[in-house]
Amino acid sequence: MSGRQLRVERQTRASRVGVPAAIIILAIAVSLPLWGSSNLMKTGVTFLTLVALAQMWNLLAGYAGLLSVGQQAFVGIGAYGVWALAEKGGVHPFVAVPIAGLIAAAFALPTAGLTFRLRGGYFAVGTWVVAEVFRLLVINIAWLGGGSGGSITSVGRIARDTREAAVYWLALGVAVGAVVLVYLILRSKGGLALASIRDDQTAAAGLGVNTVRSKLWVYVLSAFGCGTTGAVIYLNLLTVQPEGAFSLNWSALMIFTVVIGGVGTIEGPILGALIFFGLQQVLSDYGSWYLVLIGTIAATSAVFAKQGLWGILNRRWTLELFPVRRRVDLDSDADPPATEPDAQPTDRPKGSASAPSEDG
Amino acid sequence: MTDSDSDKVKRVLALDPLSRRQFLKRAGLAGAAIGFGGAIVGCGDSTTTTTAAEGTATSATTAVTVGEEMGREVKVGWVTMTTGPLASLSEPDDFLLAQAKAAVGDGLVINGKKHPITWVVKDSQSDSNRAAQVAGDLITGDQVDLMMTGMTPIVCNPVADQCEANGMPLVSYGAPWQAWFFGRNGDPAVGFEWAYHFFWGAEDMIAVYTGLWDMFETNKTVGVLWPNDPDGLAMADPVNGFPPVMGEMGYKIVDPGRYTNLTEDYSSIISQFKAENCEIVTGLMIAPDFPTFWSQAQQQGFNPKAVTMGRAILVRPDMEAVGDSGNGLCTEAWWASTHPFTSSLTGNTCMEQAKAWEDEKGTGYNGSLGLTGAAFEVAIDALKRTTDIDDPASIRDAVKATDLQTILGPINFSTGPVPNISKTPLVGGQWQQGGEWPWSLVVVNNDAYPSIPKSGELIPLGG
């Protein structure tokens, strides 16, 4: 052992290349409204909001071990928040977006108080029940339009070019914001706590991690992210109806994206969003068969590729765009290690790289 | 020249405004190029798109040698409900689309030039999010010239909002006008700029239903089943809904409150109706809910003398789900083969149109055969009267100026109770067994629109 040196690092070769590449992609994405068509912007909004939602679910499930199927509650609250602020409160709809996120985060606190008493599958069902309760509440509040919902007409009145560009930038903001948020959380001390909770909650608690506080933070942040994203989504869709805003489909969408992409990585949900988005664009006109195919892919991925597509790629080429894991490298001048250093990626392989978000 | 031919011509010439698939391909290429730092590729791409329309026109002229000067292809977007809980309303869609395509043939003459017409059909899946999404795709992606959408505020409202925000002329049908107009914050003094809608309203339904109740010998006690959704709330409205009219006419309301759609247990509601001795039941259930309610009512021995039910039993497949015990259920009739109108598109009378459907499909027709058919008539008529097909405002003006005798009756958007609306006739119908088909909707009450003849006599509920 004396001939070897141990090195602990986060950076990978990919992440060193990745940073300038990400900056270039981001610059192109930001400038898109200057050269892109309306359709490209609209497509961009759909894709970027999907990335943001997937990141938020991944933060919950992949890092804090909170398997929620009730995130549609916060998408819906965000949607209704932006609608109520813009239509009833006279707040400028773009300004209303982050406020809607804060409203969602505020609702997350009492929700957590209820659902955190439950664990695992019970927690999942509990979050779903709470989301349904929010939907039923909204339906019964006449001020919120009751079962009819309403239209965000104040956005519709903004000149089309301005509106399209602004909504696109907001979507880009939530997507980039979600990625950066997750990255920063994971690189912080709290991230280490989360990783330990994910691996073994009891052991983490035994080592002195305040599991409840860590999970609560993540839950509230995720609600904020989902609420803000929901607000942006409905600035694009323009019509808020309770069945749609609190639809279980939002959670299904997040889960599918994260499961096929790779749970517990930052890159996985981005890849998953690209795959799902591609499938949707190409196949969604096939109606029921499209849904059958999506279900089959999700089931196959869950059974045969538990780490998602990202896990598979990562096992092959250890490339991390967002280096959040510490890797132990053995400098092997003396003894030959079992394999080449790059293919020996510590405990379990997570995270890797390629080119995400090509059109922004 | 068929649609696919013209599409092919354009694709070969690469002049088509990007279709979604092509867009994806190019986005992929652009993405790859971007990797090498080539943002310029994106610029080139979007320029090609903008010049596409003119180029297509020339290519079409050379491809088709007809006497008239050929114009570019005109696209009509259509957001309908092919799947989902409300899909039975869309049963005649394919039939009507084929009929419209046949009637248009190789093109419509619009301001002196002959334009091939294509329909781009999108499934809303009976879901408001999806409806908004596909309407947006049609506007920015497929770049349609005119939009059609139909059936229920769940679909019509989001599509109308998208059209209104993006300057797209819209022909909408199949949702009570109050839900469509006021549900979208409409101001009667101003109206909307781009979206136009035809259908009847809550007041017509009230007139038809109360007319039907008066035909039965009852104790005038009415149990109501109005769900908590846009249509249900409009019916239950204490000012513009059923309650004030029912009060005036001496009907007593037993209202268990707004229930939620897709409720599976109606036993407490049924008990209340029984306890209050309701002899009439009315409501506005959705199609999957009524059979559930009805079978539970039978199990609990609740047998009202008259039932007028909106939405849930509008079309024949719904009655097949209800079964034999539904003989004599009443509903509003939007359209029947005995209506005295003629299609401006095919020249068919209502009877001929119903016959055409029955001959081809081997089943009885739906009321939506007339309703959706009228939407095609309005859209095509508006395109014919358009003066500048490349100006959406010109198409919008043509839609706005519609004054057409359709298979559904007269449609004129300047005659409605509020701007952008044209009301269509509504009469009282009853589902009866034993005709040519297992179920037929017989017009038993025409008080609200006497020029539409009755087609049969009322039978007691249960046959």
Side-chain angles (χ1 to χ4, degrees), chain B residues 341-357:
Chain B
F341 306 121
T342 308
S343 165
S344 66
L345 192 61
T346 59
N348 280 353
T349 62
C350 295
M351 195 59 87
E352 286 164 348
Q353 181 75 344
K355 195 89 188 71
W357 163 269

Side-chain angles (χ1 to χ4, degrees), chain A residues 67-334:
Chain A
L67 273 173
S68 165
V69 287
Q71 290 308 95
Q72 68 271 25
F74 304 113
V75 174
I77 292 170
Y80 269 93
V82 80
W83 176 79
L85 287 164
E87 298 298 306
K88 303 272 181 178
V91 179
H92 191 285
F94 299 148
V95 179
V97 169
I99 307 177
L102 290 174
I103 296 172
F107 274 99
L109 284 170
T111 309
L114 286 169
T115 53
F116 275 25
R117 294 158 189 268
L118 309 167
R119 277 232 203 154
Y122 298 98
F123 174 81
V125 174
T127 53
W128 185 1
V129 169
V130 169
E132 282 295 289
V133 168
F134 280 128
R135 180 177 68 87
L136 293 171
L137 279 176
V138 163
I139 284 180
N140 286 295
I141 299 172
W143 188 78
L144 288 172
S148 314
S151 306
I152 312 180
T153 46
S154 51
V155 193
R157 280 195 294 270
I158 298 169
R160 187 175 167 183
D161 293 346
T162 319
R163 184 184 71 237
E164 283 174 345
V167 172
Y168 169 80
W169 277 321
L170 283 168
L172 185 64
V174 293
V176 173
V179 172
V180 170
L181 180 76
V182 174
Y183 182 62
L184 292 180
I185 289 177
L186 294 183
R187 295 206 50 160
S188 71
K189 197 175 120 201
L192 206 55
L194 284 180
S196 67
I197 293 171
R198 177 199 60 200
D199 291 343
D200 190 329
Q201 187 172 334
T202 318
L207 289 169
V209 174
N210 188 337
T211 56
V212 173
R213 199 181 58 187
S214 301
K215 291 203 292 188
L216 184 64
W217 259 111
V218 167
Y219 192 71
V220 170
L221 280 175
S222 172
F224 172 77
C226 288
T228 314
T229 311
V232 175
I233 289 171
Y234 279 89
L235 287 187
N236 193 30
L237 295 180
L238 300 173
T239 310
V240 184
Q241 292 187 348
E243 306 296 334
F246 291 94
S247 168
L248 183 63
N249 282 347
W250 293 119
S251 275
L253 196 68
M254 297 178 211
I255 295 170
F256 177 83
T257 308
V258 175
V259 165
I260 56 166
V263 71
T265 65
I266 295 183
E267 299 89 342
I270 301 176
L271 177 72
L274 274 172
I275 295 171
F276 176 76
F277 196 69
L279 287 172
Q280 194 183 37
Q281 294 291 308
V282 177
L283 301 173
S284 67
D285 289 340
Y286 294 97
S288 325
W289 284 110
Y290 158 70
L291 298 171
V292 170
L293 180 72
I294 291 282
T296 313
I297 292 174
T300 312
S301 169
V303 173
F304 296 108
K306 290 201 178 64
Q307 298 297 331
L309 195 53
W310 216 253
I312 295 173
L313 293 176
N314 185 49
R315 225 164 296 156
R316 249 199 203 177
W317 307 282
T318 306
L319 301 163
E320 285 191 18
L321 249 192
F322 299 96
V324 294
R325 301 172 55 255
R326 291 163 185 81
R327 302 148 27 84
V328 180
D329 273 358
L330 301 174
D331 270 354
S332 51
D333 345 278

Side-chain angles (χ1 to χ4, degrees), chain A residues 32-33 36-50 160 163-165 167-169 171 232-233 235-238 277 280-281 359-360, chain B residues 20 23 129-142 147 162 166:
Chain A
L32 189 141
S37 66
S38 299
N39 196 38
L40 197 55
M41 276 188 273
K42 199 170 173 310
T43 314
V45 171
T46 316
F47 173 73
L48 291 165
T49 49
L50 178 61
R160 187 175 167 183
R163 184 184 71 237
E164 283 174 345
V167 172
Y168 169 80
W169 277 321
V232 175
I233 289 171
L235 287 187
N236 193 30
L237 295 180
L238 300 173
F277 196 69
Q280 194 183 37
Q281 294 291 308
D359 60 27
Chain B
R20 274 201 302 176
F23 160 73
N129 292 340
R130 176 88 190 146
Q133 187 73 46
V134 294
D137 288 347
L138 286 169
I139 295 168
T140 59
D142 298 281
M147 190 84 86
Q162 287 290 327
N166 293 306

